[in-house]
Amino acid sequence: MFGSPGEVRGVLNASIELYWLSAFSREARLPKDAVFFLLDSNGQVLANSHSLLNDADGALPKQRDAGSATSPPIDRAPLTSIVRQDLIKEVVARRLVDFQAIGNDGVRRVYSSVALPHGDVIVLFGVPARTMLGWIKQDLVARVSSLAAIWLMGIGAAWIGTRYLVTRWTTSLRRMALAYARGDYSAKLDLQRAPSELRDLGNSLMLMAHRIQDREHDLRDSVDQKDMLLREVHHRVKNNLQIITSLLNIHDKQIQNNDPHKVINDIRMRVRALALVHRYLYEGSDVRLMNLKPFLTELAQMLVNSLSSPDRRISLNLDIPNVTVQAERGVSIGLLVTEAITNSLKHAFPHNRPGRITLQVIRKGPTSATLVIADDGVGMQGKQPPEDQPTPTNLGTQLIHGFASQLGTEISVLEDSGTRIELDLNLAPSGREEPGLVPAQ
């Protein structure tokens, strides 16, 4: 050990008792008559297996008494009494590694020598030829048994770890998935302690089940709504048939005093108005609501085209915004407008007099509006019926007041340069209005 440059501070020496090295041969569990020698480059014995064996063996040297202060000497006597001198020289010279020979003690052995690295030390090991295979077999069985035990322990540890970390969670996920397959979406799992992949999978399954459950609720609500709408359709059909029956009963009294074909045409026009109401209802996105703009526009044009000829020069002035009413009100509004325009076309413009019919909806608030049907004809006073029949406008006027009563409102009739009919309407909330698209013909 050196301190400052060139200054020796001390010397450290370590040594190992050569006799102590012989104890390592115990770990090898050598078979009977097997030998082990540790030699230096001069062939001197540093350690051997015989120094641990019984002194009764005549081929081995005598050991000192147990109370001796020093370890027994290890000499060449056991080596030369077993291995021939010429073979020892060949081993030390490292020209002989594996060989078989009969020792000086008469035992045939299989020898193997190994030169240890980083030193001139050689290990010579010999096993009796007659027991070599048995010893190898015993050692092989021991090693295979050790490997099998390690393998079984590994399988057991893997099974326990897999069961605790994976399979118990996958089993729970499988039970939850089976519950979902049966339609029980209330099954839930606490996956906080599960592996992240299985936790993500379980959360995805529960989210999917929640969405399916919401979807099923929506579908049930939709089915219930459709059932309700179907019942409402049947109810409306019944009401419309009752309306048609009432119209037939009313016109039945006029057939005796009027042209039957004319009466039938009047009935046909009112039935067409009913059909137009239903077409706009069922072609819309919501059969409970009806947009008045496309409906009243087509209805007014149909009446003018059907009840007047081109040479009469009757113009139609429409001013109808996109307003929505409940479907039940749409039927009454359609029949009222039909009666009002029909009366104007039949009686307001006698002798092919030109004129203009105005149909207008004036919005007054979010849920209220005023319906206006006006003409610039001769007015109510100028409508003279033929002498052989009652006033023709009485029936139409009665129907208009009846439909207004169904709407829960009253009409006002003004005569100033023609006839002007006004009535208040209750609209559906503005958020439920439909776009003003005219359905396909």
Side-chain angles (χ1 to χ4, degrees):
M1 297 175 62
F2 297 93
S4 57
E7 180 183 359
V8 178
R9 300 294 299 273
V11 177
L12 179 63
N13 180 35
S15 62
I16 299 177
E17 290 284 347
L18 293 179
Y19 178 76
W20 177 80
L21 291 177
S22 299
F24 287 104
S25 64
R26 295 177 180 176
E27 299 297 330
R29 297 181 181 179
L30 300 178
K32 184 179 179 181
D33 294 332
V35 293
F36 163 81
F37 299 99
L38 187 66
L39 309 176
D40 62 8
S41 58
N42 297 319
Q44 296 295 325
V45 179
L46 302 178
N48 62 65
S49 57
H50 288 75
S51 61
L52 298 175
L53 299 178
N54 196 313
D55 289 315
D57 192 337
L60 302 182
K62 300 293 183 180
Q63 298 187 16
R64 296 187 180 184
D65 296 336
S68 175
T70 60
S71 301
I74 300 175
D75 59 345
R76 294 174 55 87
L79 177 61
T80 56
S81 65
I82 296 174
V83 185
R84 300 198 311 267
Q85 186 65 36
D86 58 332
L87 296 177
I88 295 175
K89 293 181 179 180
E90 294 293 324
V91 170
V92 172
R94 301 183 182 178
R95 292 191 295 269
L96 192 60
V97 178
D98 298 321
F99 59 95
Q100 185 176 161
I102 298 176
N104 294 330
D105 57 356
V107 179
R108 178 181 293 275
R109 294 180 176 87
V110 177
Y111 294 93
S112 180
S113 63
V114 178
L116 301 181
H118 309 294
D120 297 328
V121 180
I122 298 173
V123 175
L124 179 62
F125 176 68
V127 179
R130 67 178 183 276
T131 62
M132 181 182 66
L133 293 179
W135 179 75
I136 294 176
K137 181 179 179 180
Q138 181 181 1
D139 183 70
L140 178 62
V141 170
R143 292 179 182 272
V144 170
S145 300
S146 300
L147 291 176
I150 294 173
W151 181 78
L152 290 175
M153 288 173 28
I155 292 296
W159 183 84
I160 295 174
T162 303
R163 173 63 183 169
Y164 180 76
L165 296 176
V166 179
T167 57
R168 69 167 178 151
W169 298 109
T170 56
T171 302
S172 300
L173 288 174
R174 181 176 178 273
R175 286 197 297 265
M176 184 175 68
L178 291 176
Y180 292 160
R182 294 192 301 268
D184 179 14
Y185 299 109
S186 62
K188 297 291 185 292
L189 281 180
D190 184 8
L191 300 172
Q192 294 299 324
R193 300 176 62 184
S196 59
E197 296 83 0
L198 296 179
R199 183 169 59 250
D200 294 340
L201 175 60
N203 291 334
S204 298
L205 285 175
M206 288 186 283
L207 178 61
M208 179 183 66
H210 178 70
R211 290 178 177 175
I212 292 175
Q213 190 175 21
D214 291 343
R215 179 60 177 167
E216 285 190 352
H217 289 163
D218 293 341
L219 290 176
R220 291 193 189 98
D221 292 342
S222 178
V223 171
D224 293 340
Q225 181 183 9
K226 291 184 184 303
D227 290 339
M228 180 190 67
L229 293 177
L230 183 59
R231 290 192 297 269
E232 186 175 352
V233 166
H234 290 307
H235 178 70
R236 289 178 186 170
V237 170
K238 183 193 70 172
N239 290 341
N240 290 335
L241 291 175
Q242 290 179 345
I243 292 174
I244 294 174
T245 302
S246 299
L247 292 174
L248 290 174
N249 291 333
I250 292 173
H251 285 284
D252 181 51
K253 300 178 182 179
Q254 293 186 333
I255 292 180
Q256 298 177 356
N257 301 322
N258 292 278
D259 184 4
H261 295 286
K262 183 178 179 181
V263 175
I264 292 174
N265 286 334
D266 291 342
I267 297 174
R268 183 185 297 114
M269 191 60 62
R270 294 180 176 97
V271 173
R272 289 180 64 184
L274 285 174
L276 188 63
V277 170
H278 284 277
R279 180 161 66 85
Y280 274 93
L281 285 176
Y282 301 139
E283 290 182 0
S285 60
D286 190 344
V287 297
R288 297 170 297 179
L289 302 175
M290 185 174 65
N291 192 333
L292 288 182
K293 180 176 181 178
F295 166 63
L296 292 181
T297 299
E298 183 174 352
L299 177 62
Q301 291 174 348
M302 179 188 71
L303 293 171
V304 171
N305 294 334
S306 300
L307 299 178
S308 66
S309 58
D311 57 348
R312 293 188 65 184
R313 292 175 296 172
I314 303 298
S315 63
L316 184 62
N317 182 25
L318 301 175
D319 183 12
I320 307 170
N322 283 309
V323 292
T324 304
V325 297
Q326 298 292 333
E328 298 84 359
R329 296 179 175 274
V331 174
S332 299
I333 292 173
L335 292 175
L336 188 149
V337 171
T338 300
E339 293 299 328
I341 294 180
T342 300
N343 281 344
S344 296
L345 290 172
K346 286 184 177 181
H347 308 293
F349 309 105
H351 309 296
N352 290 333
R353 175 181 173 175
R356 182 177 67 253
I357 297 176
T358 300
L359 179 59
Q360 186 179 17
V361 176
I362 304 172
R363 188 157 194 169
K364 300 168 62 177
T367 60
S368 63
T370 298
L371 175 64
V372 178
I373 307 106
D375 63 61
D376 58 355
V378 298
M380 297 293 293
Q381 300 298 328
K383 299 174 183 178
Q384 299 296 329
E387 297 180 355
D388 58 347
Q389 68 180 50
T391 303
T393 58
N394 289 342
L395 177 60
T397 302
Q398 292 174 4
L399 291 174
I400 290 174
H401 283 278
F403 295 137
S405 178
Q406 290 181 358
L407 293 171
T409 184
E410 295 183 356
I411 65 171
S412 61
V413 181
L414 304 177
E415 293 194 28
D416 183 11
S417 300
T419 303
R420 180 183 179 92
I421 299 175
E422 295 184 0
L423 71 155
D424 294 331
L425 298 178
N426 292 325
L427 306 179
S430 58
R432 300 181 67 179
E433 290 183 7
E434 299 177 352
L437 299 178
V438 179
Q441 299 293 333

